[in-house]
Amino acid sequence: MTASPPVSGLLRRTKLRHFLRARRAQISPEEVGLVNMERRRTPGLRREEVAALAGVGVSWYTWLEQGRDINVSEEIVNAVGNALRLEGCEREYFYRLAGHNPPPRTGGSSRDIVYERMCALVEGWASNPAYITDRYGSIEMASRSARFLFRVNARGDNCVVKFFTDPPTREKYPDAAEVGRGLVAQFRAQSARFPDDPEFDRIAESLCERSPHFAELWDCHEVDDRHQYVRKIAHPQAGVMVFDRLVMRVPECPDSLLTLYVAQPGTGLAAEQSRGLVGARAEAA
């Protein structure tokens, strides 16, 4: 007796079947340059027309739309997506239902607008630390308080590299062992999102040579992709400050991560004093 496929696969293919049928019904022959010479019983394109537009076999497309358990290449997914005029989130949704990671969105002007808004958010994040990093963890922009507290430059410093190669940076963390372990696990998880990018391996190999501690953690193969953490920072005047840390991915900027910190009340000095102290020192930094 043949074992039943995983429920998750069945659900995904069911959603794929409904999605493709709905999208096919929403496109008229005239929209794709087909001459509609006869009355149709149902609106939209026929399966054979979608197959022809995508350059795939009719049987193959039929199986795909029926939700059969077949292996579909990324090229076919892309071709069908083009035939059905899928864009943005619809295209990403289709890729995921078909079992593939969606390609990065294009459109530089849209990304530039979103990135400018992210920068404005970082700069206006009161006196709490905030920064934007690229896919490798290198700073793209940092607020004044972040530069002061975390000893990073406004652009270029890599958070992982700096932690494992700069002792004064590590000394700022009372729980440095936990922070280091998390940084390595997050770096490995991030590298999996870009499997064809050799820069992750280059950074890891370089750090393994420079930091035995990093090398030991890297060999553990731990993975951590959480978005919320608690960070403790030792401040010479405020004492130990505790922050809620939130990391956000922005779809329009797939290579960038936005990290925001909010001081927890009652840590070190009062929250208001802590924020004011950091802000004043950051202004002078």
Side-chain angles (χ1 to χ4, degrees), residues 35-49:
V35 179
N36 188 14
M37 301 295 294
E38 60 185 48
R39 184 180 181 86
R40 300 189 176 216
R41 292 180 296 177
T42 56
L45 298 175
R46 296 178 175 133
R47 285 176 176 169
E48 56 267 25
E49 291 170 338

Side-chain angles (χ1 to χ4, degrees), residues 131-141 153-161 187 199 203 255 257:
Y131 51 80
I132 303 170
T133 55
D134 65 11
R135 63 170 65 177
Y136 314 110
S138 296
I139 297 291
E140 294 185 321
M141 181 183 180
N153 294 323
R155 191 173 185 87
D157 271 348
N158 184 284
C159 298
V160 183
V161 173
F187 185 78
E199 183 65 11
I203 293 174
D255 281 2
L257 295 174

Side-chain angles (χ1 to χ4, degrees), residues 31-168:
E31 286 183 79
V32 293
L34 298 177
V35 179
N36 188 14
M37 301 295 294
E38 60 185 48
R39 184 180 181 86
R40 300 189 176 216
R41 292 180 296 177
T42 56
L45 298 175
R46 296 178 175 133
R47 285 176 176 169
E48 56 267 25
E49 291 170 338
V50 174
L53 290 168
V56 301
V58 177
S59 296
W60 191 259
Y61 175 76
T62 300
W63 295 339
L64 178 65
E65 189 179 286
Q66 289 176 340
R68 296 196 186 185
D69 189 9
I70 58 175
N71 292 322
V72 185
S73 69
E74 190 170 341
E75 289 75 18
I76 290 180
V77 173
N78 184 59
V80 173
N82 290 337
L84 294 175
R85 298 191 167 189
L86 302 179
E87 296 181 357
C89 60
E90 283 189 334
R91 197 175 191 90
E92 292 180 358
Y93 183 70
F94 175 43
Y95 263 79
R96 296 189 190 282
L97 291 182
H100 291 280
N101 289 323
R105 293 193 190 185
T106 58
S109 59
S110 175
R111 186 205 184 279
D112 292 342
I113 292 173
V114 174
Y115 187 77
E116 288 178 5
R117 291 174 179 170
M118 291 168 62
C119 290
L121 177 61
V122 167
E123 197 60 49
W125 194 242
S127 297
N128 281 303
Y131 51 80
I132 303 170
T133 55
D134 65 11
R135 63 170 65 177
Y136 314 110
S138 296
I139 297 291
E140 294 185 321
M141 181 183 180
S143 65
R144 289 186 294 272
S145 57
R147 296 198 299 271
F148 170 69
L149 274 178
F150 303 125
R151 299 175 57 89
V152 295
N153 294 323
R155 191 173 185 87
D157 271 348
N158 184 284
C159 298
V160 183
V161 173
K162 196 168 185 67
F163 180 89
F164 284 98
T165 60
D166 183 50

Side-chain angles (χ1 to χ4, degrees), residues 165-179:
T165 60
D166 183 50
T169 296
R170 290 195 300 276
E171 291 170 1
K172 282 186 169 289
Y173 296 94
D175 50 356
E178 180 182 343
V179 172

Side-chain angles (χ1 to χ4, degrees), residues 260-283:
L260 304 174
Y261 288 78
V262 179
Q264 291 186 356
T267 63
L269 302 178
E272 292 77 9
Q273 291 176 305
S274 296
R275 287 196 292 265
L277 176 63
V278 173
R281 294 292 297 275
E283 289 287 350

